[in-house]
Amino acid sequence: MKKSRIISVVLTLALVLTTVFAGTEGVFADTAKDKIKADGPAIGANFQSGTIMKAAEEDIIVPAVNLNSKSSAKIYPTVAYSSANLIYTKVSIPKAGTFNFGIWAGAPGAVGLYSSIDAGAKPIKTMEVSQSDFSNDDYDTFNVKVSKGGTYYLVFGSTSSTPAQSAFDAYYAPAGGTPSKNVAYYGSSIGSTYSYYKAKATATGYLTISFPAGTDGDYSKYSVKLMNSNKSKNHFKGVVTVDKYGRNFITYAGVPKGTYYIGIKTTEDYYKVKWNFTKVSENSGSTRAKAKSIYKGNTKKGTILATQTSKNADWYKIKVNSSQLVKLAFTTYTGGYSGGFRISVYSAGKTKAFGSADFYYGDPADILSLTTKINGIDTGRLQKGTYYIKIQKYGSASGFYKLQWK
């Protein structure tokens, strides 16, 4: 994708646009650096420098192709244009989303997307383009968000007095949808509204929500909510910020069987979102009296649900037959607006924990060594007896855990 940016080109073209469309804005935004370049416009023809292209019919409406479909967009040529005139092609999108145009410019200039070409119409967005040699990878990417489906006008302007033709293809990333399980889905967010993506849990387990790619690359940042089946309640209790540096583009949610909607808001042009569901067969006690036994070398798996409160807990117990060092390996996959999981250990007959540890998305795993102190001195061993392990949420966290007596 071409990188050149020439200020004089922008100013010259601004004068041309102002002449044709009274009141048109003359400021051209920089091209967004597309970090999903490998999944950008598919080239359906191998254009070479000097190729003669026929003009498209005047009344043609070019349909944008869903980036999630298996279809490739056609490449459409424009009619000839120069600095003396602007030309446009009608393009359509079925619902709110982001247009993703690949532009092979026959001359330096700019492109703009308009909802109307009436006098005084202002562009939704404009971008300068450099002259292309019409090879497969010499194109500019023009991304434009639109708040509703319909027909729009892709306008081409040139700073050259020599007539030239350009070519383009048109894709779109929808604002919301129904992604298949464990499949990266192109999506977009419009303005300050959330886009919603449907997900299903077929049993009790946990959802994994990830963002494999975004047009802002490592700087992508997403506001995420987990809504119930009618989008009336946010199980995260707040908005979770998912980015590279906080959560490495992944968050989790422990959920019972049901239908959910992942709400996403971001300023970037478009992104890939993926959800997956993992069923968890859990065997824990709901109270201390019902605690389930863990034996040395065994592993227990469980979920803390987004629908639960901090008063709910999973209980386990271990029986130490002789004085020894006891190590518990604890691993978590957590999500939620705040907090994490807390693991507490109680001696038989005691109501106060003799030790506890907190785990959250930035500190997801550790090995806990259980020992007994006598007269304030750590013996390095846990005395013979029965001990109870309580696992619960603190804050709004939910997700999955794994507990092993090593």
Side-chain angles (χ1 to χ4, degrees):
M1 192 166 64
K2 296 167 291 185
K3 310 294 185 184
S4 61
R5 293 291 176 268
I6 306 171
I7 298 300
S8 60
V9 170
V10 175
L11 296 177
T12 303
L13 187 56
L15 295 176
V16 176
L17 287 172
T18 303
T19 300
V20 177
F21 296 127
T24 298
E25 294 180 356
V27 179
F28 292 83
D30 285 340
T31 306
K33 190 175 183 182
D34 189 356
K35 296 295 185 180
I36 317 180
K37 183 177 179 181
D39 297 308
I43 312 304
N46 187 17
F47 289 116
Q48 299 296 330
S49 181
T51 297
I52 298 174
M53 295 176 285
K54 293 183 179 180
E57 295 181 13
E58 194 170 312
D59 61 351
I60 190 173
I61 299 178
V62 174
V65 175
N66 193 327
L67 282 166
N68 297 297
S69 75
K70 296 181 180 180
S71 300
S72 296
K74 296 179 181 179
I75 294 180
Y76 295 86
T78 70
V79 297
Y81 63 99
S82 68
S83 57
N85 66 298
L86 297 175
I87 57 98
Y88 69 85
T89 298
K90 296 178 183 178
V91 292
S92 67
I93 190 171
K95 60 179 291 185
T98 299
F99 274 110
N100 172 237
F101 298 108
I103 307 291
W104 289 264
V111 292
L113 189 73
Y114 292 73
S115 60
S116 167
I117 54 171
D118 295 336
K122 293 186 178 181
I124 299 169
K125 184 179 179 180
T126 57
M127 186 190 79
E128 62 177 286
V129 292
S130 302
Q131 186 169 345
S132 170
D133 64 9
F134 293 99
S135 60
N136 283 9
D137 59 356
D138 190 24
Y139 62 88
D140 280 298
T141 299
F142 184 35
N143 295 319
V144 190
K145 295 183 179 185
V146 293
S147 59
K148 62 181 180 180
T151 298
Y152 293 83
Y153 301 86
L154 183 62
V155 178
F156 291 79
S158 172
T159 56
S160 173
S161 59
T162 302
Q165 290 176 280
S166 294
F168 71 95
D169 61 9
Y171 288 88
Y172 75 94
T178 306
S180 298
K181 176 184 173 182
N182 205 30
V183 174
Y185 185 87
Y186 285 95
S188 66
S189 302
I190 311 301
S192 60
T193 62
Y194 280 83
S195 295
Y196 293 98
Y197 302 89
K198 189 176 182 179
K200 284 189 176 183
T202 55
T204 296
Y206 66 95
L207 290 172
T208 302
I209 303 167
S210 61
F211 296 87
T215 52
D216 288 343
D218 286 350
Y219 298 99
S220 296
K221 182 177 290 187
Y222 308 94
S223 297
V224 181
K225 299 189 294 186
L226 182 67
M227 309 302 290
N228 61 2
S229 59
N230 59 13
K231 305 175 190 172
S232 63
K233 183 176 182 180
N234 179 13
H235 291 306
F236 279 160
K237 314 299 182 186
V239 177
V240 178
T241 299
V242 180
D243 59 16
K244 176 179 175 62
Y245 305 100
R247 300 176 187 266
N248 199 27
F249 295 127
I250 300 176
T251 192
Y252 303 90
V255 292
K257 180 180 179 180
T259 298
Y260 301 89
Y261 285 89
I262 302 164
I264 300 171
K265 184 173 68 172
T266 181
T267 59
E268 68 179 341
D269 291 325
Y270 62 91
Y271 47 82
K272 283 183 177 180
V273 59
K274 182 168 68 172
W275 70 271
N276 198 10
F277 171 73
T278 304
K279 178 182 176 180
V280 177
S281 297
E282 181 177 327
N283 184 24
S284 65
S286 58
T287 65
R288 179 166 171 162
K290 296 179 180 180
K292 300 297 182 180
S293 295
I294 302 179
Y295 301 99
K296 191 167 185 178
N298 286 174
T299 298
K300 293 287 187 179
K301 297 178 181 180
T303 54
I304 299 295
L305 305 181
T307 53
Q308 291 178 317
T309 70
S310 58
K311 293 181 180 180
N312 300 113
D314 293 345
W315 286 89
Y316 301 96
K317 63 183 178 181
I318 60 174
K319 187 175 182 180
V320 180
N321 295 319
S322 61
S323 177
Q324 59 186 282
L325 175 63
V326 173
K327 291 186 176 182
L328 299 178
F330 194 57
T331 303
T332 65
Y333 301 157
T334 61
Y337 174 62
S338 64
F341 292 173
R342 178 170 292 146
I343 179 170
S344 304
V345 184
Y346 299 78
S347 298
K350 301 294 183 179
T351 58
K352 183 178 180 180
F354 71 80
S356 65
D358 291 345
F359 296 81
Y360 67 107
Y361 69 87
D363 184 19
D366 205 351
I367 295 177
L368 307 178
S369 296
L370 307 185
T371 59
T372 301
K373 284 186 178 180
I374 299 178
N375 296 325
I377 299 174
D378 194 332
T379 63
R381 293 172 174 268
L382 191 63
Q383 299 301 302
K384 178 181 178 180
T386 299
Y387 299 88
Y388 295 86
I389 302 164
K390 180 182 181 182
I391 301 172
Q392 64 191 131
K393 71 164 64 181
Y394 67 95
S396 65
S398 70
F400 167 80
Y401 67 81
K402 184 169 63 175
L403 175 66
Q404 181 185 27
W405 181 1
K406 295 182 71 69

